[in-house]
Amino acid sequence: MRDCKLRCFALIAFLPLAIIPLPLLSQLYAEDLPGTGPPQIPIAHPRPRNGPPPISRGRARPVMESAGLAFAGTVQSVEHIPAAGENRISTTRVTFRVDTAIRGVRAGQTVVVSEWGALWSTGERYAKGERVCLLLYPPSKLGLTSPVHGSAGRFRLRGRGRVVVPPDRRELLPPSLVARIDPQGEIAVEDFARALHERSAP
């Protein structure tokens, strides 16, 4: 009698599974098995709050192949714009005077660059009067841009027009440019611009 009850209980327990189509049943169980089921979306880890954005590695293209704007210039002003109304994200608006044009600008032109505000906290900062050489991505649909490959697209200027090129940024630059860098890790801004312009020419 007890065996009969156990058999009846087992039949009732597994009866719902019997009416589920086999392909659907396999899919339900497959999603719980390691290495199967729908692909998992990786979680993006936030950038560190201190220090500049990391330089992209791997299959990153040379900087000029990705740059929409490129110039050496002087910071005229920096303005932080909080998120409000239609502006759903905070931005940093930096105004430059173009001293040496490379791509997409003219010498003497005033250029206003808008960046995602969060980049300021990662070290992407500017100060009035600072002289930099920038290679920037083409502006997005929101009008935002940033240096190509993070810090690889930003160089500081020293003295009277010398671009400082750290060793870890040279792999994405044309070999003809790298060959002109002096032992102090510097190159004249005119030579820097000429080499990049030659590289970008069709």
Side-chain angles (χ1 to χ4, degrees):
M1 185 65 179
R2 182 178 181 182
D3 292 341
C4 182
K5 289 181 179 181
L6 290 175
R7 291 176 185 175
C8 291
F9 177 78
L11 180 61
I12 293 173
F14 287 96
L15 184 59
L17 298 180
I19 62 177
I20 298 177
L22 183 59
L24 179 58
L25 184 63
S26 301
Q27 181 179 355
L28 291 174
Y29 280 100
E31 293 180 356
D32 290 330
L33 295 176
T36 61
Q40 300 299 311
I41 300 175
I43 299 175
H45 297 284
R47 288 176 175 173
R49 297 187 62 85
N50 298 318
I55 297 176
S56 301
R57 301 294 183 183
R59 298 182 178 180
R61 295 187 298 174
V63 286
M64 281 306 291
E65 291 186 15
S66 301
L69 297 175
F71 60 89
T74 305
V75 178
Q76 302 294 294
S77 65
V78 179
E79 182 182 5
H80 300 287
I81 304 174
E86 296 182 358
N87 183 27
R88 298 181 180 179
I89 60 173
S90 61
T91 58
T92 300
R93 183 180 297 166
V94 188
T95 302
F96 296 91
R97 182 190 68 241
V98 176
D99 301 322
T100 303
I102 302 175
R103 173 183 287 181
V105 295
R106 302 183 309 275
Q109 180 181 352
T110 297
V111 175
V112 179
V113 174
S114 293
E115 293 189 349
W116 181 37
L119 291 179
W120 188 269
S121 64
T122 66
E124 178 61 20
R125 302 183 179 186
Y126 300 90
K128 185 176 180 180
E130 180 182 8
R131 301 180 65 214
V132 293
C133 186
L134 294 176
L135 292 86
L136 302 170
Y137 285 114
S140 68
K141 293 181 179 179
L142 296 177
L144 303 178
T145 185
S146 63
V148 173
H149 302 313
S151 58
R154 174 176 174 169
F155 304 85
R156 64 187 180 92
L157 272 67
R158 178 183 295 166
R160 301 183 64 181
R162 304 290 294 178
V163 181
V164 180
V165 186
D168 64 347
R169 303 186 193 178
R170 299 177 187 179
E171 63 183 67
L172 299 178
L173 295 172
S176 59
L177 186 156
V178 176
R180 302 181 191 180
I181 299 174
D182 65 21
Q184 286 71 43
E186 301 176 2
I187 179 174
V189 65
E190 294 81 6
D191 292 337
F192 186 92
R194 186 179 303 111
L196 289 179
H197 188 269
E198 292 171 356
R199 177 71 178 186
S200 63

